[in-house]
Amino acid sequence: MIIALNNKSNLDKYEFLDYQERINRIDSKEQIIVCPTFLNIGNYTIRKFSLGAQNVSSTEEGAHTGEVSAKALKSFGVDYCIVGHSERRQNQKESNNEINKKIKQLMAQDIIPILCIGETKEERDNNHYKEIIEEEIKTAILSVPNYDTIIIAYEPIWSIGTGVIPTNEQIEEVFSLIKSILPNNKILYGGSANEKNIDQLKKIKNNDGFLLGGLSLKPAELSIFLNKLI
Ligand code: PGA
């Protein structure tokens, strides 16, 4: 399974060095992708896990103050990059079109995008979630060659950081929808997954792994989670 660790904007330089030492001790057969902050990417040294970023510029390098290009990420050994996380869609007003541009920048540098999609509580309650998810996927892959390699992370927004998880049936319904558009892509689940609910979540059909936020910051609990996957 793919286990992507989204550190979000946590861990300063010193905290990250300590964290890195602790997760380096984790012994797991899963494919682990660590996604630190941009600044901590430069201090990443773990060889047995992959390195991911949490965001990328939608443009090439150039006159774009404050942006980090896909080319620069690649030069630091980044092989994966989260795009379209709901926190960025909501707080930075990232649109599906901008996400599409970011995916193109990443693919041009052979960085595999981890595309986050998912509905709000309101969209689920109003039964609009399928249209929202379809639109998020279709716009993101527009004119993208080889989009089969993109990893999709289904993260219901109402589940992120809330401790509330969907039923496996709700997740499987969305996974089927994703598979109907993207039959060959890997799909992850994300949203409050932890060492306590993994016994339930690991039964999700056609699941290729998990995107972990809060749990990524707790090496001891993460270890328990990974052991329960075996
Ligand atoms: P969470 O975050 O595991 O803390 O809910 C997941 C995410 O935002 O990717």
Side-chain angles (χ1 to χ4, degrees):
M1 280 196 154
I2 297 169
I3 308 295
L5 306 179
N6 178 9
N7 289 171
K8 307 197 177 182
S9 74
N10 297 292
L11 306 176
D12 67 21
K13 175 181 166 183
Y14 305 103
E15 289 163 346
F16 181 75
L17 293 175
D18 176 57
Y19 167 80
Q20 180 164 248
E21 235 180 84
R22 294 174 68 193
I23 57 167
N24 198 15
R25 283 187 224 125
I26 293 177
D27 191 21
S28 171
K29 296 234 165 358
E30 314 302 335
Q31 186 199 343
I32 296 176
I33 305 169
V34 186
C35 304
T37 63
F38 278 146
L39 288 172
N40 286 330
I41 280 176
N43 288 323
Y44 183 81
T45 54
I46 305 176
R47 287 174 173 271
K48 62 182 177 180
F49 303 150
S50 303
L51 179 58
Q54 299 172 20
N55 183 31
V56 66
S57 174
S58 58
T59 54
E60 279 179 24
E61 65 179 354
H64 308 288
T65 304
E67 293 294 321
V68 176
S69 69
K71 179 171 168 251
L73 290 178
K74 192 72 194 180
S75 73
F76 276 87
V78 168
D79 288 321
Y80 296 85
C81 182
I82 296 169
V83 269
H85 191 281
S86 60
E87 286 154 12
R88 297 198 59 80
R89 290 179 190 263
Q90 288 187 327
N91 304 332
Q92 277 74 35
K93 306 282 173 271
E94 257 184 33
S95 66
N96 286 328
N97 280 325
E98 197 178 348
I99 290 160
N100 171 252
K101 288 186 190 145
K102 292 185 177 199
I103 289 178
K104 288 175 182 159
Q105 289 296 324
L106 292 170
M107 308 246 330
Q109 295 294 332
D110 282 325
I111 297 174
I112 297 178
I114 302 174
L115 169 65
C116 298
I117 55 167
E119 79 286 358
T120 61
K121 176 89 176 69
E122 198 185 347
E123 287 157 354
R124 175 152 288 265
D125 290 346
N126 295 340
N127 216 19
H128 283 146
Y129 60 101
K130 289 185 191 158
E131 291 98 294
I132 296 290
I133 288 165
E134 244 185 270
E135 175 69 22
E136 285 179 340
I137 297 173
K138 288 187 174 161
T139 311
I141 61 170
L142 219 61
S143 323
V144 174
N146 306 326
Y147 57 75
D148 281 5
T149 55
I150 300 173
I151 298 169
I152 308 296
Y154 171 51
E155 300 205 302
I157 296 168
W158 46 279
S159 182
I160 296 176
T162 59
V164 179
I165 54 165
T167 63
N168 285 8
E169 290 69 30
Q170 285 175 317
I171 297 170
E172 283 164 8
E173 185 195 35
V174 173
F175 277 22
S176 301
L177 172 68
I178 298 168
K179 283 275 171 214
S180 71
I181 308 167
L182 299 171
N184 301 319
N185 294 58
K186 293 216 157 67
I187 311 178
L188 316 180
Y189 168 75
S192 293
N194 61 36
E195 78 288 2
K196 296 192 187 84
N197 55 31
I198 187 58
D199 295 318
Q200 175 193 325
L201 290 173
K202 75 177 182 186
K203 294 184 195 141
I204 303 165
K205 293 190 195 88
N206 295 318
N207 183 20
D208 298 298
F210 295 92
L211 176 53
L212 307 173
L215 191 68
S216 81
L217 302 169
K218 302 177 190 158
E221 287 87 345
L222 177 62
S223 252
I224 299 171
F225 177 95
L226 292 166
N227 283 333
K228 287 191 176 182
L229 286 177
I230 300 167

